[in-house]
Amino acid sequence: MQSDSLWIGRPVSRVEDERLIRGQGRFIADMNPVPGIRHAAILRSPHAHAVIRSIDINQALGKRGVVGIFTGEMIARELDPFPVGVSAPIQYYPIARSKVRYVGEPVAVVVAESRYLAEDALSDIIVQYDALPSSMDIETPGTHLDPSVLLHDGVLDNVANHRVFEYGQCGRELQIADVVLTHRFTYPRNTAVPIETYGVIAAYEPGTDYYTVWSNFHGPFTLHSVMAHALKISTHKLRLLSPGDIGGSYGVKSAVYPYAVLMAVVSRLSGCPVKWIEDRLEHMQASSSATARITDVTMGLNSQGKITALKLVQYDDVGAYIRAPEPATLYRTHGNLTGAYDIRNLTVENYAVMTNRVPTGLVRGYGGPQLYFPLERMVDIAARHFGIDPAEMRRRNFIRAGAFPYTTISGGIYDSGNYQAVLDQALETSEYDRFRGQKTAMSSRSIRYGIGMAAVVEPSGSNMGYVSLAFTPDERAKQWPKSGAAAAATVAVDLLGGITVLLDSVPEGQGHETVARQIVADVLTVPMEAVRVIAEMDTATRAWTVSSGSYSSRFASAGSSAIYGAAQKVRDKLLALAAIKLGADVSTLRLREGWIWHDHRKTVWSLKRLAGLIHWNPEELPEGIGAGVYESCYFTLPNVAAPSTDDRINSSAVYGFLVDIVKLAVDIETGHIQLLDYTTVHDAGKLLNPLLAQGQIHGGMAFGIGSALYEEMVYDERGQLLTGSLMDYLVPTAGEMPEHLNLGHHSTPTDSTPLGAKGLGEGNVMAAGAAIANALADALGVEVFNLPLTPQMVFHLVHPPHEKEVDPK
Amino acid sequence: MKPALFDYFRPQNLPEALSLLDEFGTDAKILAGGQSLIPLMNMRLAQPRIIIDINGIAEIGQIREKAEALEVGALVRQRALARYVHTDGMWELLRLGMAHIGHPQTRNQGTVGGSIAHADPSAELPLLFLTMDGEAEIASLRGNRKVPAEQFFQFVFSTVIQPHELLRAVHWKRPASKTAGFGFYEFSRRAGDFAMAAAAAIVEIDAQRRFTSIRLGLGGVGPTPVLVQGGDMLYGRTWSDNLIGSWLEDVTKGLDPPQDLAANPDFRRRLAGAAAHKSLFSAYQSANGKWEGRTHE
Amino acid sequence: MNKWMHDELAVVTMTVNGHVYRRAIEPRLLLSDFLRDELGLTGTHVGCEQGLCGACTVLIDGAAARSCLNLAVSLNGKDITTIEGIRKRPQFPAIAQSLSRHHGVQCGFCTPGIVASMISEEEATQEEMDDLLAGHLCRCTGYVGIREAWKDLIQKKAGE
C-alpha cells in the first residue's frame, strides 16, 4: 500500500449520510421501476405440519381489484426445486406444494390493485388441511421417528446432513486426559430483525423469457444460479438488481431469494410486474432465522490446565427445509473450531436436523455464536475446575504470538495475531483485577456482581469451498471443486476526468461507498469529492462473481481489495500513457494531487487530461493503450483452497481476534441483569475507517447483547410461533444498552490483504453471549448452559424450580 | 398488514356518538387514540364492522378541576395529562406511573380514557385508576352513570362499559392527605414494555412515622389490576423490611397470576412482591420526607 | 357527522409540510400509506405497522407520533410534518451534521423517524431524550452514535 495515503485509515464521515438523514434514501419499497406494477400478498400456512387437501380460490378471484391468484401447485409446476447443499433428497420450492412444513409457509399468492385489496382476497381463499404432528426436537437422530413426523420423503429421522470429522487422536487423548469435562449447551433460535423487511419487484418479459427482479437481496451471488435453476432458465435471463439503499440485513436478507423466484413466476403467470413488500408479521414468522444449536462438548485437559482434546457434537435446527447456503452454519467456522487455542486433537460430529420451524440462514455472526457460546463457557468451567482465573486459563491455552501464521488442526490458517496482547489490553481497560477484588464486598442482600470474558477468533472473507464440507470426500470428488473468496469492483474515469466506482458488495448500511471513496481517492490522488460510488447492484451490468455480496465480513478483506485493485489498474493505465507521452520510464512517474509528476517535477499531464486524451482522441493512442478508462478488478484472497481429501479447510481468508469483558450486576430476587460496562478489544488488522469500524463494533455489541439477554424465537410444541410481533420478540432499545462501552484496538499487521484489513462487524455477536453468561456464572457461582438470560431463567438458576440439579463433574 | 374494510362514522358531538353506539352496539369499535386498536386492526386480529371515530368530539377532550377530583375527558391524551399534573405534587403517583406507558410518541396520541377502557391488566393507567380510587363516568342515551374503579374492571380487556355506552370521563380523586407519600415500581423486559408486574402505592403515616393508611395496587398479576386488601394490619407500625416482606409474602400467595413468555405464575408472584416492596418503600420514604419538610417549616 | 360506508371514498384535507392536500381515500388507509403512496413522500418508512419500531414517526400538529397507528381519515384538518418538511427547517442542518459526525446513521432506514422525534422536542432534557429514543428501534448502531449526536445537540442548546 502507498505510505502517503490521505484518506485510508482516517475517520471520514459518511457520504451516504446526507441522503439518508434527509429521507432521500431509495429503498425497495420506495421504488416503482416499471409502469403497471400490481401488488402481491401471500396466504400462509397456519399449521406447522399438514397436508393440503384442497385450495378453493373461486370466491377470492371475484373480489374487487384482484388480478390473479396462484396456488402452490400452480406455481411449483413452473419451477424446479432449488438446489440444496446436501445429498439428502429434499425438494425445496418457494411455496408449499402439497404439504406445509412450518407456520407461515406460503400457500398461495394474490395479485391485486393494492396491497389492501390483495389482503382482502386472502381471507376468501379456502384451504383445507389435514394436520400432522410436528417435529420440534433436534436431539433425536437415530431414534427412528414415527413416519408422521418425517418432513420429507426419504430423509431418515429428519437429518438433512450428518458428518463426522476426526483430526489428531481425540479419542485416545480424552482417555488419557487428567481431567475430562462434558457439558451440553443450547444456543437459541434468534433472528436479525432489520427494520426494513424483505421486498421484491419482479417483471417478466414474455417475448424473450427474461426476468428482471429488484429486491433487497445482498448476496451471496452463488444464489443467482440457484434462482435461475429453479426458474428453469439460463442464468443470463435472470437479471437481479438491488437498490443502493437497503434498510439493514445482518445476513437475513440473503434469504429473500425464494421470494424473488416466487414473485418472478407470479409476474409471469399474472402478466404484470408484481411488487411484494413483506410485513413484519410475515418477517418474524417466515423469513429466516439463525439456527438453534445443541452442542455436547467434551474437553480433555492435562493437570496444568492445558486443553489436549476437544470433542464437539453439534445438532443444528435448520428448520423445515435445508435452504442454501445451509447447512453452512455448521461449516463456516470449521477452520476455527478450536478458537483461540492451540488444540491438536479434535473430533466434530455435525447434524443438520429439520424441524417444523422456519428454515434458517445467515444472521450476523453466522455459526460464530453457536460455536463460541459453548466453547468459551467451557473454558470458564475448566478454569473454575482448576481454581484458576479465566484469564489465566486462556493464556495457558492461547496460540503463541510467535506461532503465526498458525494452521489449526481442522485446516484453518490464522494469518496473524497476538492474542495475549489483546487480552492484556482488555484486562487493563476493564480494570479486571480491581473489579474481581471488589465484587464480593460490593454485593448486597439481593445484588451480586460478576465479571466475564470471551476470546474469539473472528473469521472474515469466507472460502466458497467450505459449504462443500457437507459432502463426504467421495461425494466431493464427483463435483467441481469450489474455493476462493473473491470480489469485484470497477473504476471508471469519464471524458472530463469524473470518477465513478461500481461495487459488487451490496451494502446495507456498512458505509461501503465511503470506504470506496477513501481508497480510490488515495490511489488516484484526488479529493474524495471527485469520486462517486454506485452501490446499486445489477447482475447484468456490474462486474461480479460467485462470492459477491455482503456477508462473512468480506468487504474489509475482499471487497476493499477489489476496489483497490481496480483503482490501481486505472492509475497504471494513465501512468503508462503518460510515460509514453513524456518519453519517461514509468517507474519514474507518480500521481500526486491528480497530476503526473516526473521524478520531483510536476508535468503538464493531469489525470483529467490523460483521461480526456483516451476518450476524445483514441486515434492518437499509442500501441498497447486501449480506448476507454473502465477497469474492473476481480480479486481473490490467498490461501482459500477447496477442502482437502482429509476434510481440512481454511474456511475463511483472514482471522481477526477480540476479547470482550463484561461486568454485570444481577438481582437474585428478580432475575434482572444490569450490564455495568462492556469492554471490547479488537485486532482487525488495519482499520480502513476507524469511525465506521467503531460503528460496526457498537452495532455488533448491541446485537450480541440482544441475543444474550432478550432475543429468542419461541415456538410451542405444535410449532406455533409465540414471538411473532415486536412486542414479544424483544429487540434491545437504547435503554437496554450499557452506559459504559470501552472500545480498544490492538492491530497486528497481516499481508493476506493488500490494505492489511480484516473484517470486524461480527465478532461481538460471537462473543457477547459467552462473555455475559460467563459474567453471570461468576456472579451466581452457578453454571449457565442456555441463552437468552431472561429474568425468569436467571431466577430459576438461583432458585431451581425442583430438586437442585447436580452438576456431573 | 393493512386494516380490513369498515364503515366509518365521525360524530361531532356526544349525542351523535351515543346514538351510533345505541344503534350498532357490539358491531362498533370506538376509535380514540388508536394506539391499541390500530395495531390489532393492522394485523387483522380486530376487524370491526363499524368504526366510530370520537376524535371530533371536543367536549370530551378537556381536563377540568372539580372540587374533589380532576375530571379528565375520555379523549385527553396521556401526554397532555402528564404535562398537566407535571408540577403538582398531589398527582405525583399519576406522573410516576404514566412515565412507564409506552413511549412519548405513543403517549402523544394514546388517550387516558382509551387505555382505561381497553383494560389491559398489565397496563399502567388501569392500575393507577384503581389504586387512586378513581371513578369512571359512563354515558349512554339513557343517561350517565358513575362507576368506582373497584367495580370497573371485570376481566382481561373487559369492563362494565356496555356496548351502547361510552366512557365519557375519568375522575381522579384528590388525595385526602397532604402528607401522603407515593410510590410506583414496574418490572418490564425493556423500557416501555407492558409490565411483567407493577405496583402503585399510597402511604400515609403519622408524626411517629407509623402507618395510618396503605393503598396498594398490583398490575400484571391477574385478569384485572388488583387492589390489595389487609394493609390495615400494618397501621400503627413503622417501616421494617421484615414486616413488609412477610405481609407481601401472604399477599402474593393469594394471587393467581397468568403464565406467559416472560414469567410463569411463581416468578410473577415474586416480581409482584418485589415491585410492591419497592413501591411501598418509595411511598413511605416520600411520606416521611413530607413530615420532615413540615417539621422544618 | 361524516360517514363513509365500506369502500366508499372519504374526502380528506390535510396540511402536509405546509401544503394543503385534498384526496379521496378509503377510510382504512393508514397515514403512513397515505403519505407514501398518495403523496409520494417516501422518506417516512414503514417497519412494522405495529407501532413498535418507530421508523414511521412523523409530527402530527407538531407532536411526534406513529404514522402507522393513524387512519388518515381521522386526521382530516390536521397539520402533518414528515422528514421532507423537517429537512427544510432551520434546525435541520445542525441535527444532520451531528448525526453524521457521531456516526449515528448506518442503513438509515430508522433515521427519518428518529429525526422527527429529535426535532419534536427541542427543549428536551437528557432524560426526556432517552425516553424519546427508546421509542425507536435501530439494529445497526447500538444507538451509541445516535445518542451521542442528540446529547451533543442538547448540550449545545444548554450552552447557548
Side-chain angles (χ1 to χ4, degrees), chain A residues 488-494 497-504 513 515-526 530-534 541-543 559-574 591 607 611 614-615 627-634:
Chain A
T490 304
V491 176
V493 185
D494 68 24
I499 301 166
T500 303
V501 184
L502 306 172
L503 304 182
D504 78 336
E513 292 173 45
V515 178
R517 261 178 27 142
Q518 291 174 260
I519 294 168
V520 174
D522 261 358
V523 174
L524 300 181
T525 69
V526 296
V531 180
R532 179 176 187 184
V533 183
I534 304 295
T541 62
R542 290 296 171 276
S560 66
S561 302
I563 296 164
Y564 187 55
Q568 284 177 317
K569 281 169 92 172
V570 166
R571 181 194 63 195
D572 292 349
K573 178 169 190 173
L574 298 178
L591 259 177
L607 181 149
I614 293 172
H615 282 291
V629 192
Y630 188 92
E631 299 294 335
S632 294
C633 171
Y634 286 84

Side-chain angles (χ1 to χ4, degrees), chain C:
Chain C
M1 176 168 57
N2 289 324
K3 64 174 177 190
W4 288 283
M5 309 310 277
H6 215 56
D7 54 6
E8 233 181 316
L9 297 188
V11 179
V12 293
T13 306
M14 231 184 275
T15 305
V16 181
N17 302 329
H19 302 279
V20 179
Y21 294 93
R22 200 173 147 81
R23 288 286 187 281
I25 57 168
E26 282 192 353
R28 61 170 165 169
L29 189 68
L30 299 172
L31 175 62
S32 43
D33 291 329
F34 176 77
L35 294 170
R36 292 178 52 83
D37 299 339
E38 294 288 323
L39 306 187
L41 300 170
T42 54
T44 298
H45 298 151
V46 175
C48 71
E49 296 179 321
Q50 300 168 355
L52 296 166
C53 79
C56 71
T57 303
V58 299
L59 306 181
I60 301 178
D61 286 344
R66 313 291 202 215
S67 60
C68 76
L69 294 192
N70 280 276
L71 301 178
V73 69
S74 184
L75 300 174
N76 194 20
K78 295 272 187 188
D79 187 77
I80 313 294
T81 312
T82 68
I83 189 67
E84 288 85 352
I86 289 169
R87 70 185 182 221
K88 292 183 189 140
R89 291 198 182 169
Q91 310 94 310
F92 177 78
I95 293 176
Q97 277 159 27
S98 195
L99 278 170
S100 193
R101 194 168 57 245
H102 293 282
H103 192 19
V105 183
Q106 287 189 30
C107 80
F109 196 78
C110 68
T111 309
I114 291 175
V115 171
S117 284
M118 288 174 85
I119 213 160
S120 72
E121 285 177 47
E122 290 192 276
E123 307 297 325
T125 61
Q126 205 152 303
E127 198 183 329
E128 288 165 335
M129 171 197 99
D130 286 337
D131 208 12
L132 281 160
L133 184 53
H136 293 275
L137 296 183
C138 163
R139 241 349 208 180
C140 294
T141 64
Y143 308 98
V144 182
I146 304 169
R147 207 158 171 270
E148 289 300 313
W150 201 337
K151 228 159 82 178
D152 201 12
L153 289 167
I154 289 173
Q155 279 160 2
K156 287 208 173 108
K157 190 118 195 143
E160 271 170 16

Side-chain angles (χ1 to χ4, degrees), chain A residues 216-391:
Chain A
N216 41 23
F217 177 70
H218 58 77
F221 280 83
T222 37
L223 295 171
H224 177 268
S225 64
V226 169
M227 291 185 245
H229 177 95
L231 287 165
K232 300 196 269 194
I233 50 172
S234 60
T235 40
H236 71 286
K237 293 190 172 182
L238 174 62
R239 182 180 183 184
L240 293 180
L241 300 101
S242 308
D245 294 307
I246 294 179
S249 167
Y250 329 100
V252 81
K253 281 179 185 155
S254 63
V256 71
Y257 79 85
Y259 292 103
V261 169
L262 182 62
M263 292 305 149
V265 174
V266 166
S267 170
R268 182 148 75 85
L269 295 177
S270 63
C272 59
V274 171
K275 184 173 185 173
W276 169 73
I277 303 297
E278 184 191 49
D279 69 42
R280 183 57 58 184
L281 292 171
E282 295 180 279
H283 187 80
M284 298 310 292
Q285 203 173 56
S287 59
S288 183
S289 90
T291 63
R293 178 178 295 173
I294 292 173
T295 312
D296 289 321
V297 189
T298 307
M299 185 179 266
L301 302 100
N302 70 16
S303 60
Q304 306 306 303
K306 172 87 178 69
I307 304 166
T308 53
L310 180 69
K311 182 179 177 197
L312 302 170
V313 184
Q314 309 186 111
Y315 303 92
D316 267 24
D317 167 9
V318 297
Y321 298 85
I322 192 134
R323 177 176 59 200
E326 289 293 286
T329 306
L330 283 167
Y331 298 99
R332 189 226 180 167
T333 57
H334 199 83
N336 56 290
L337 284 171
T338 45
Y341 309 110
D342 183 23
I343 303 172
R344 305 309 296 176
N345 300 287
L346 172 70
T347 296
V348 192
E349 183 168 4
N350 284 343
Y351 291 92
V353 186
M354 292 180 290
T355 63
N356 290 110
R357 296 184 181 88
V358 65
T360 58
L362 279 67
V363 169
R364 197 173 192 164
Y366 199 44
Q370 290 91 338
L371 168 67
Y372 287 110
F373 173 62
L375 182 63
E376 286 300 291
R377 277 260 58 230
M378 277 301 277
V379 174
D380 263 41
I381 290 170
R384 219 180 315 282
H385 180 88
F386 282 90
I388 58 178
D389 190 284

Side-chain angles (χ1 to χ4, degrees), chain B:
Chain B
M1 283 178 75
K2 318 291 185 186
L5 287 168
F6 48 79
D7 295 345
Y8 175 85
F9 294 86
R10 189 179 169 94
Q12 299 301 309
N13 53 51
L14 199 53
E16 276 183 2
L18 295 178
S19 23
L20 288 168
L21 281 169
D22 207 62
E23 186 181 347
F24 298 118
T26 46
D27 284 348
K29 270 275 173 199
I30 295 166
L31 175 66
Q35 305 297 289
S36 302
L37 177 61
I38 307 271
L40 292 173
M41 289 171 61
N42 285 356
M43 296 187 252
R44 298 202 181 204
L45 293 173
Q47 299 195 21
R49 195 168 73 75
I50 288 150
I51 285 288
I52 302 174
D53 180 354
I54 60 171
N55 283 282
I57 308 176
E59 60 192 286
I60 54 171
Q62 310 291 320
I63 299 176
R64 290 194 187 87
E65 297 277 358
K66 293 281 173 70
E68 292 200 330
L70 192 64
E71 181 193 305
V72 177
L75 251 196
V76 171
R77 312 286 157 177
Q78 292 154 7
R79 203 87 186 284
L81 178 59
R83 288 209 168 109
Y84 187 87
V85 300
H86 185 61
T87 52
D88 191 338
M90 192 189 323
W91 302 111
E92 195 186 342
L93 186 57
L94 202 49
R95 185 175 60 77
L96 290 172
M98 287 183 72
H100 291 268
I101 307 173
H103 302 287
Q105 296 88 343
T106 56
R107 297 200 290 271
N108 278 333
Q109 293 230 291
T111 63
V112 176
S115 174
I116 289 173
H118 187 56
D120 187 320
S122 56
E124 291 81 3
L125 273 167
L127 170 62
L128 293 164
F129 179 56
L130 177 66
T131 310
M132 294 171 70
D133 195 18
E135 208 171 30
E137 185 184 339
I138 300 168
S140 75
L141 281 186
R142 288 154 238 179
N144 285 9
R145 62 181 180 128
K146 282 192 174 175
V147 179
E150 286 185 49
Q151 294 161 26
F152 182 78
F153 298 105
Q154 293 192 315
F155 196 64
V156 185
F157 304 129
S158 164
T159 71
V160 298
I161 303 173
Q162 296 301 301
H164 65 279
E165 292 180 319
L166 179 78
L167 180 64
R168 202 202 74 83
V170 176
H171 297 258
W172 298 89
K173 197 179 280 180
R174 271 177 234 289
S177 159
K178 282 211 163 34
T179 54
F182 306 102
F184 189 93
Y185 200 90
E186 173 171 323
F187 289 107
S188 60
R189 292 296 309 276
R190 299 172 303 176
D193 283 346
F194 280 107
M196 295 157 77
I202 307 171
V203 163
E204 289 173 39
I205 54 176
D206 63 18
Q208 281 72 47
R209 312 303 192 253
R210 294 176 301 212
F211 287 106
T212 58
S213 164
I214 294 176
R215 227 179 136 80
L216 174 68
L218 299 174
V221 294
T224 67
V226 172
L227 190 67
V228 174
Q229 306 299 320
D232 50 353
M233 292 187 326
L234 306 179
Y235 294 176
R237 315 275 301 265
T238 59
W239 179 275
S240 102
D241 276 342
N242 285 342
L243 177 72
I244 302 296
S246 67
W247 175 54
L248 290 176
E249 208 170 307
D250 286 344
V251 165
T252 50
K253 258 184 216 150
L255 296 172
D256 184 20
Q259 162 92 42
D260 67 13
L261 283 178
N264 64 20
D266 265 350
F267 181 48
R268 208 171 220 112
R269 275 189 204 101
R270 221 26 122 107
L271 290 179
H277 200 109
K278 285 170 194 279
S279 71
L280 281 169
F281 186 67
S282 308
Y284 187 81
Q285 291 283 77
S286 106
N288 198 19
K290 285 172 189 171
W291 274 103
E292 305 253 325
R294 181 180 280 191
T295 1
H296 290 288
E297 266 166 21

